[in-house]
């Protein structure tokens, strides 16, 4: 008889691992990102999209483990996260099929995002829920600091230009994420354009 997966224990194991093993100077991809941003966003979207049962749990486990690979490597962290999930989850009663599905959902977060089903779409949208929130600029600044601490060399103007382009090109995959976040994302785009203009960059100021 198959074991019933122990979701709460599996989730807590991931959160404890991230808390204890995340390297210093990880300003963005840390416990707060997973626990306070991605997991709640995934839960909201799953509810709004009507996903229940095992499929719901697959996404929630993937959300808990999607960035655990940063404790191993900064580059190609999605592969590391999927590998670590595959290594850790059997002890909590997850089957080989469940783990394959969880790993696919984790890998869907790799940029550029190319989700193939509703579970992957929800995970992708939850991972960058921040684009439509009021603390986007604070967290975006933390991301630049983190990337510069891990081998990049962004200057503020260059970073703002890149992030504005990303915001303008980005589209949420689920109707629920669009409903929740598009208005806030458009406000952030307008603010980013204003900031870019004040720094002497040539960007439109009208909200699309």
């Amino acid at each position: 008889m198959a074991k019933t997966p122990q979701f709460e224990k599996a989730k807590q194991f991931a959160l404890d691992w991230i808390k204890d093993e995340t390297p210093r100077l990880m300003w963005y991809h840390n416990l707060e990102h997973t626990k306070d941003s991605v997991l709640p966003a995934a839960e909201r979207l799953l509810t709004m999209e009507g996903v229940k049962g095992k499929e719901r749990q697959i996404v929630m486990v993937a959300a808990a483990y999607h960035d655990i690979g940063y404790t191993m490597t900064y580059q190609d962290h999605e592969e590391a996260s999927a590998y670590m999930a595959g290594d850790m989850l059997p002890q909590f009663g997850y089957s080989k099929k469940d783990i394959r599905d969880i790993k696919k959902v984790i890998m869907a977060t790799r940029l550029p995002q190319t989700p193939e089903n509703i579970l992957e779409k929800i995970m992708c949208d939850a991972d960058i829920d921040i684009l439509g929130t009021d603390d986007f600029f604070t967290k975006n600044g933390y991301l630049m600091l983190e990337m510069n601490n891990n081998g990049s060399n962004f200057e503020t103007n260059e970073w703002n230009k890149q992030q504005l382009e990303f915001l303008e090109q980005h589209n949420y995959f689920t109707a629920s994420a669009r409903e929740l976040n598009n208005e806030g994302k458009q406000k952030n785009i307008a603010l980013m354009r204003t900031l870019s203009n004040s720094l002497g960059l040539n960007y439109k100021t009208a909200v699309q």
Side-chain angles (χ1 to χ4, degrees):
M1 184 175 179
K3 294 181 180 179
T4 300
Q6 299 172 300
F7 167 67
E8 289 297 335
K9 289 184 177 180
K11 179 181 75 172
Q12 194 58 50
F13 186 89
L15 296 179
D16 289 343
W17 187 282
I18 293 167
K19 178 183 177 182
D20 294 339
E21 302 296 332
T22 296
R24 292 179 64 250
L25 305 180
M26 290 290 285
W27 293 90
Y28 183 88
H29 292 103
N30 51 31
L31 179 63
E32 180 183 357
H33 170 67
T34 294
K35 183 179 179 181
D36 298 333
S37 179
V38 178
L39 277 167
E43 194 162 22
R44 286 193 299 272
L45 295 174
L46 286 163
T47 297
M48 293 178 70
E49 293 291 328
V51 178
K52 301 177 181 179
K54 178 175 282 191
E55 289 188 331
R56 183 184 184 94
Q57 191 175 116
I58 291 294
V59 175
M60 291 301 293
V61 175
Y65 283 79
H66 82 288
D67 276 347
I68 201 169
Y70 276 114
T71 65
M72 288 182 61
T73 180
Y74 200 79
Q75 301 298 325
D76 300 321
H77 73 275
E78 296 93 351
E79 288 87 347
S81 295
Y83 172 82
M84 293 176 72
D87 189 54
M88 295 170 171
L89 288 173
Q91 66 184 298
F92 301 108
Y94 285 89
S95 68
K96 290 182 179 179
K97 182 184 184 306
D98 289 341
I99 291 171
R100 284 197 300 270
D101 292 341
I102 290 164
K103 291 168 73 171
K104 285 183 64 179
V105 173
I106 290 172
M107 289 303 300
T109 64
R110 182 170 49 184
L111 295 175
Q113 296 174 332
T114 55
E116 297 180 352
N117 57 51
I118 187 60
L119 304 187
E120 294 175 11
K121 289 176 180 179
I122 288 171
M123 183 67 240
C124 287
D125 286 349
D127 193 26
I128 49 179
D129 178 77
I130 190 70
L131 301 184
T133 65
D134 292 339
D135 58 353
F136 165 74
F137 285 91
T138 299
K139 297 296 179 64
N140 192 48
Y142 288 162
L143 181 58
M144 186 185 79
L145 287 174
E146 177 186 291
M147 293 187 71
N148 283 348
N149 285 325
N150 286 277
S152 298
N153 190 30
F154 288 106
E155 295 182 352
T156 301
N157 286 18
E158 177 190 6
W159 176 257
N160 288 339
K161 177 181 178 181
Q162 181 187 88
Q163 293 304 292
L164 177 57
E165 290 174 350
F166 181 80
L167 280 167
E168 291 179 326
Q169 294 170 8
H170 171 266
N171 290 294
Y172 285 109
F173 294 102
T174 64
S176 299
R178 292 191 292 271
E179 178 183 341
L180 291 173
N181 292 330
N182 268 0
E183 182 178 353
K185 189 177 74 170
Q186 290 302 318
K187 289 179 180 177
N188 289 334
I189 289 173
L191 287 170
M192 181 67 82
R193 287 174 180 162
T194 299
L195 175 63
S196 298
N197 287 333
S198 72
L199 294 172
L201 302 178
N202 294 319
Y203 285 101
K204 297 171 295 198
T205 57
V207 177
Q208 290 179 342

